[in-house]
Amino acid sequence: PFAPERERSETSRRSQPSLDAQLSRHLRVSGGQPGLLYPFLCCAAVLVCILIARPFANGGFNDDWAYAHVALKFVETGQIRYDGCCNAMVLFQSLWGAAWIRVFGFSFDLLRIATLPFSIGFVLLVYALARKAGLARNLALFGTLTITTSPLFFPLAASFMTEPYACFFTTLCIYAAICSAEAAGNASATRWLWVLAASGILGGSDRQAVWGSPLALIPYLFWIRRLDRRFSIHAAASYALCICCLVFFVHRFNQPYGPVISPQHFFELIVQNSASAIAYLTSLLFSGCLICWPALLCVAPLWRSVGLARIIACGAVAGVLTFFSVSEFGHLGLAPFVGNILSPVGLLGSGTDALGFRPVVLPLLLRISLTWLLTLSVIAAGY
């Protein structure tokens, strides 16, 4: 209290945390027990959006008529019969839909309602993963709404498509793996291990891409807890069960019109179409960045500490990358990267929705500007 005024101000300035420290503290998980308000708001927001969209009609949406037909035929015949349209296995989905059909009778709207528990479960799991990642509740809410109301998920949330089921089981696998890795005791770690295995089996029997989760995550858990002999035995047993179920399902429910592609055949296809493969992979990468664009606002305050010269340099690099993207990948290198025609099933290329050629959504100059801004944002986040 007796220090000179200048010394007190200098001490106060040194005691103030830097902008980096403030941002880090803001992103850290908040203390206390997790509340129910934010998860409830996430679920309520998605349900309100679904009600506004009114996805009710006595007809199929996208490809879900084919999956509905498989479920209906299972009720009528007791057998899984594919109709020759899609390659998804839809075993779990057919059994789940058949149970609802037996109780309430068949309708497309009924099967869409039957999907909602899995869509809402996906919303809750995304929020839970955000909290596991260390985000505060408000940022976890923001991230969850960004994902679950995105055009990649929301249009299918109230449909009988396989995406809501695949999203739910894949996210549950990831969440179970994290809980198993962080568990303090052997019993808890083992329980979450079997939740991971069961989720992978059920999800993989519906959409085959889900199999990648248990096949990749169980060996990871085995390795990080390899000193625990009992857990290692359970990990080996669960992995063997997943492999056996995978082989059985592929052998028993493999559609003749959707054969399993061997790794050699898949590699040959990639080599023969390397240019197209690189273009579409780049498009997928840019599309993911575009969806995550709102999250990049979290690092916006850090630009205050960056000089004007560096900002100009980053803008120039972003311009060069934008020019390269356009010149190499054409329309796939420009925002929104997957097409520029808005249709009931998403953003498509011109003339690919069987409705003829229609005006583009975004003009060329705006697409170039958005691509440059997105590239600059990614560079800024990494900088």
Side-chain angles (χ1 to χ4, degrees):
F2 301 102
E5 182 67 25
R6 188 176 68 178
E7 184 177 343
R8 286 203 304 268
S9 62
E10 185 70 23
T11 304
S12 175
R13 184 166 61 252
R14 287 198 302 267
S15 64
Q16 292 179 353
S18 64
L19 187 59
D20 292 350
Q22 294 179 33
L23 181 60
S24 299
R25 185 172 64 252
H26 186 57
L27 293 175
R28 283 200 301 267
V29 63
S30 58
Q33 296 297 324
L36 298 177
L37 176 61
Y38 288 103
F40 173 79
L41 290 176
C42 292
C43 297
V46 174
L47 288 175
V48 168
C49 290
I50 290 175
L51 290 176
I52 293 174
R54 297 174 59 192
F56 309 112
N58 188 23
F61 174 77
N62 204 340
D63 293 330
D64 71 351
W65 62 269
Y67 307 132
H69 183 261
V70 176
L72 178 61
K73 286 300 179 182
F74 179 77
V75 174
E76 296 175 348
T77 66
Q79 298 179 353
I80 299 294
R81 294 184 176 180
Y82 300 110
D83 53 22
C85 175
C86 301
N87 295 335
M89 197 172 289
V90 294
L91 177 59
F92 172 83
Q93 190 170 335
S94 299
L95 299 178
W96 174 255
W100 285 70
I101 294 173
R102 287 185 182 275
V103 176
F104 301 102
F106 175 81
S107 75
F108 287 102
D109 290 337
L110 173 70
L111 294 180
R112 295 187 182 106
I113 294 174
T115 304
L116 287 180
F118 295 91
S119 297
I120 297 303
F122 173 65
V123 175
L124 294 174
L125 286 170
V126 171
Y127 179 85
L129 281 178
R131 294 288 286 159
K132 282 286 187 182
L135 295 182
R137 295 173 188 171
N138 56 342
L139 291 179
L141 170 68
F142 176 76
T144 302
L145 292 179
T146 300
I147 293 173
T148 56
T149 60
S150 73
L152 291 182
F153 174 77
F154 171 70
L156 305 176
S159 72
F160 199 58
M161 296 288 285
T162 58
E163 279 80 1
Y165 297 88
C167 287
F168 172 80
F169 284 112
T170 301
T171 312
L172 181 56
C173 287
I174 298 173
Y175 183 79
I178 295 176
C179 292
S180 180
E182 294 180 348
N186 175 274
S188 179
T190 303
R191 283 195 298 269
W192 282 111
L193 169 69
W194 283 104
V195 171
L196 163 61
S199 303
I201 292 172
L202 292 177
S205 70
D206 196 68
R207 187 169 180 122
Q208 296 90 318
V210 183
W211 284 111
S213 298
L215 295 182
L217 294 174
I218 292 178
Y220 166 75
L221 293 175
F222 175 84
W223 175 255
I224 66 173
R225 303 186 75 99
R226 60 189 180 278
L227 299 181
D228 189 335
R229 181 180 179 85
R230 185 176 180 181
F231 181 88
S232 299
I233 295 175
H234 280 276
S238 62
Y239 199 75
L241 179 62
C242 288
I243 294 293
C244 291
C245 290
L246 171 61
V247 173
F248 171 76
F249 288 143
V250 169
H251 175 73
R252 178 64 179 80
F253 299 101
N254 182 34
Q255 305 92 318
Y257 54 87
V260 177
I261 299 178
S262 66
Q264 181 180 0
H265 187 203
F266 180 77
F267 180 75
E268 292 176 355
L269 289 176
I270 293 296
V271 172
Q272 294 173 2
N273 302 275
S274 57
S276 299
I278 294 174
Y280 278 101
L281 287 175
T282 304
S283 171
L284 179 62
L285 175 63
F286 275 117
S287 300
C289 294
L290 184 63
I291 294 173
C292 298
W293 199 357
L296 297 177
L297 294 175
C298 296
V299 299
L302 299 180
W303 276 93
R304 299 175 183 174
S305 59
V306 179
L308 180 61
R310 294 181 179 180
I311 294 177
I312 295 175
C314 290
V317 173
V320 172
L321 292 177
T322 301
F323 175 79
F324 175 79
S325 176
V326 175
S327 61
E328 289 294 325
F329 306 116
H331 74 277
L332 291 177
L334 284 176
F337 307 109
V338 292
N340 198 28
I341 301 295
L342 185 62
S343 76
V345 293
L347 291 171
L348 302 175
S350 181
T352 58
D353 59 354
L355 296 177
F357 291 88
R358 291 183 288 174
V360 296
V361 178
L362 302 176
L364 179 61
L365 182 59
L366 182 56
R367 294 183 69 185
I368 294 176
S369 301
L370 287 175
T371 305
W372 177 81
L373 285 173
L374 178 62
T375 308
L376 177 62
S377 300
V378 173
I379 293 174
Y383 187 84

